[in-house]
Amino acid sequence: MSRSRQTGLLARHLAEVTDVEGGLYYDAGARWIAMWADGPLQKAMRAHLDTALAGHRYVDMRDRKIDCHRSISQRAWAARAVASRREGTLGPAIAVGAAHRRSLGVGMPRPGVQGPTHTHEYYDLLRHVDDLCREISYPERASTPEDEPLVQQLLAAGTRDRANTGRPTISEYDMATKLLAAEQAPDGDWPPKLAVVRASKENR
């Protein structure tokens, strides 16, 4: 069996055992990269990969150096942000992180610009949720069924039409702006409803 054939079968095997779509991509020399979004942590994917290579089905890939790279989707970002807010950890994490940034004298990327997207709280919200996404396996999955509607609302809030193509695109930066506004709004705005988020077309 050719190496390219084994590569495809190995990628399919990893997708089956992890329930996550991904692929194996040639880089240079004997180096390949296993890439996937969300799903298992890199350590877990490495374990699945090593187990598969120890068998007899992919012997032509044993002498290849295969690196693992996991990316994070906007869906995962929204799910972790919603879960953190429901658990009551989002606000305190933002406050502590923002205070730490100020104590270190961390400057703003655009000095002198005021607004919800140019504050220590905004940048620490991004950092906090990014950290949550990196630290948990399958971050794209809602932590509870009750989170799902709010995840969808937050994704809708972060959706805008791309300027050149008119196609919708989702940005965690836009989601962070909406989420921070909700976090700083009077108590009771969210949950159960994220008042600052526009409803998706399906819910109108």
Side-chain angles (χ1 to χ4, degrees):
M1 186 184 299
S2 68
R3 179 173 287 119
S4 60
R5 173 68 172 162
Q6 287 197 6
T7 300
L9 291 175
L10 179 55
R12 184 183 303 173
H13 168 75
L14 293 175
E16 290 174 351
V17 298
T18 62
D19 194 29
V20 170
E21 290 299 322
L24 283 169
Y25 303 94
Y26 177 72
D27 185 24
R31 185 169 179 259
W32 291 69
I33 304 177
M35 302 178 69
W36 69 101
D38 305 331
L41 297 172
Q42 291 187 186
K43 181 179 180 180
M45 184 64 83
R46 169 58 62 187
H48 288 302
L49 183 58
D50 290 345
T51 298
L53 292 175
H56 64 277
R57 296 186 64 186
Y58 314 106
V59 292
D60 289 340
M61 295 298 294
R62 289 178 181 173
D63 62 345
R64 306 292 93 175
K65 175 178 173 55
I66 305 177
D67 293 330
C68 292
H69 176 74
R70 182 178 81 148
S71 60
I72 298 298
S73 70
Q74 283 76 24
R75 158 77 198 195
W77 198 97
R80 291 309 96 219
V82 166
S84 182
R85 195 168 198 274
R86 174 181 47 76
E87 294 163 359
T89 59
L90 183 65
I94 293 172
V96 170
H100 182 63
R101 287 171 62 91
R102 289 189 178 93
S103 71
L104 296 176
V106 176
M108 292 291 97
R110 295 174 59 188
V113 177
Q114 301 298 319
T117 61
H118 297 285
T119 66
H120 289 296
E121 286 75 13
Y122 170 80
Y123 290 109
D124 205 76
L125 189 159
L126 287 169
R127 179 206 58 78
H128 173 65
V129 178
D130 286 346
D131 287 347
L132 292 176
C133 290
R134 285 194 296 268
E135 293 167 0
I136 189 173
S137 60
Y138 298 89
E140 74 282 8
R141 296 178 179 176
S143 295
T144 70
E146 292 75 19
D147 283 354
E148 185 59 33
L150 293 175
V151 171
Q152 293 300 324
Q153 288 187 49
L154 191 53
L155 287 169
T159 301
R160 67 171 64 186
D161 290 338
R162 192 175 300 168
N164 295 333
T165 65
R167 296 177 181 176
T169 183
I170 303 173
S171 167
E172 64 268 29
Y173 304 109
D174 290 337
M175 287 192 285
T177 300
K178 300 292 187 180
L179 185 58
L180 186 60
E183 184 66 21
Q184 295 175 338
D187 290 344
D189 278 3
W190 189 58
K193 181 179 180 181
L194 180 57
V196 298
V197 175
R198 62 180 174 82
S200 62
K201 292 181 178 178
E202 291 79 11
N203 295 329
R204 290 177 181 172

